[in-house]
């Protein structure tokens, strides 16, 4: 059995138990979002999946309903004006990503893989094509996420994603998983309204 089949089985098992174990936390966050601002609890957005097919990614809503649609946060002018009070906490702790466990369970995503690009992030999609990164399932977290996240330029992000696609293995996934936990706890690489700052600092 190839690792990709084993990887899918691991995704199903872990996402199923994740949905069960985290259901109390889901309920708390749902109530917090509803009390904090008007609008739906979940935010759906068109993203690029394996083979450049499209799917709707799920997140807990962190922004106000008048936020421009299909615009990456780093392209918004003063993104803080759109983020809700609860949303700031959710984004800082990455808890807004939890509904993607469902995307993993149904096979649209994997636990580890390149973060799914917005359908209109043509520059990132094109760069990933150069490295074969569009040929694997996108992930909840990935190699680029733990090597800079928002601090990475488009080119560097695609290069890290391609490195993952080329070297995908159980060992690599385990490394990404545990390094993600460390990165989330330290709030590493999260920048609202910016991207590519590693290169900018170097230049």
């Amino acid at each position: 059995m190839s690792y990709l089949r084993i990887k899918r089985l691991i995704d199903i098992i872990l996402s199923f138990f994740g949905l069960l174990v985290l259901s109390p936390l889901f309920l708390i966050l749902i109530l917090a979002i509803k009390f904090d601002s008007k609008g739906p609890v979940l935010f759906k957005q068109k993203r690029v999946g394996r083979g450049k097919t499209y799917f709707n990614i799920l997140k807990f809503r962190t922004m106000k309903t008048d936020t421009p649609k299909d615009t990456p946060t780093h392209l918004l002018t003063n993104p803080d004006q759109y983020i809700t009070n609860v949303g700031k906490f959710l984004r800082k702790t990455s808890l807004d990503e939890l509904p993607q466990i469902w995307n993993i369970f149904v096979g649209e995503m994997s636990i580890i893989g390149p973060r799914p690009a917005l359908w209109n992030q043509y520059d990132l999609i094109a760069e990933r094509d150069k490295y074969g990164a569009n040929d694997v399932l996108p992930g909840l977290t990935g190699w680029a996420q733990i090597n800079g996240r928002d601090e990475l330029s488009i080119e560097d992000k695609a290069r890290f994603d391609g490195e993952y696609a080329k070297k995908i293995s159980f060992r690599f996934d385990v490394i990404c998983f545990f390094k993600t936990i460390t990165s989330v706890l330290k709030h590493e690489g999260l920048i609202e309204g910016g991207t590519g700052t590693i290169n900018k600092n170097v230049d």
Side-chain angles (χ1 to χ4, degrees):
M1 182 181 293
S2 69
Y3 174 63
L4 290 181
R5 291 185 178 181
I6 297 173
K7 179 179 172 70
R8 176 60 191 142
L9 182 60
I10 292 173
D11 284 339
I12 293 172
I13 294 172
L14 291 184
S15 60
F16 175 75
F17 282 103
L19 290 170
L20 288 179
V21 173
L22 294 174
S23 57
L25 177 59
F26 272 65
L27 180 58
I28 292 172
L29 295 179
I30 287 170
L31 293 174
I33 293 168
K34 291 299 291 184
F35 281 118
D36 180 54
S37 61
K38 294 181 180 179
V41 170
L42 291 178
F43 171 69
K44 297 181 181 180
Q45 194 174 55
K46 186 178 177 181
R47 295 288 182 118
V48 179
R50 181 169 57 189
K52 292 188 286 188
T53 57
Y54 297 128
F55 73 100
N56 287 320
I57 198 172
L58 299 177
K59 291 187 177 186
F60 282 125
R61 182 176 58 82
T62 61
M63 291 188 161
K64 300 173 183 177
T65 54
D66 61 346
T67 304
K69 294 183 179 180
D70 293 329
T71 302
T73 305
H74 69 271
L75 294 181
L76 291 173
T77 301
N78 187 19
D80 284 340
Q81 67 178 310
Y82 298 109
I83 302 174
T84 65
N85 292 325
V86 170
K88 292 176 182 178
F89 169 76
L90 294 176
R91 293 167 78 90
K92 185 176 181 180
T93 58
S94 296
L95 289 174
D96 60 315
E97 311 284 359
L98 286 181
Q100 289 161 48
I101 295 175
W102 178 256
N103 290 119
I104 295 169
F105 183 70
V106 299
E108 296 168 330
M109 291 177 60
S110 179
I111 295 173
I112 309 296
R115 283 297 296 163
L118 274 166
W119 66 272
N120 57 359
Q121 284 183 292
Y122 305 115
D123 50 354
L124 177 57
I125 297 168
E127 281 296 316
R128 283 178 169 174
D129 265 339
K130 297 178 182 179
Y131 301 101
N134 291 317
D135 298 328
V136 298
L137 276 177
L140 182 64
T141 185
W143 189 228
Q145 291 296 101
I146 59 178
N147 280 285
R149 196 175 178 178
D150 295 336
E151 295 179 344
L152 294 174
S153 66
I154 294 297
E155 294 79 9
D156 286 339
K157 188 176 294 185
R159 180 171 54 82
F160 278 118
D161 290 335
E163 185 177 348
Y164 173 79
K166 183 178 180 180
K167 299 180 179 179
I168 187 169
S169 67
F170 178 73
R171 179 177 178 275
F172 206 173
D173 279 357
V174 170
I175 290 172
C176 290
F177 182 83
F178 285 105
K179 283 194 174 183
T180 294
I181 295 175
T182 302
S183 295
V184 169
L185 291 176
K186 292 182 178 179
H187 310 304
E188 292 177 341
L190 179 60
I191 300 172
E192 299 293 2
T195 187
T197 58
I198 287 180
N199 280 357
K200 291 177 183 177
N201 289 338
V202 173
D203 295 339

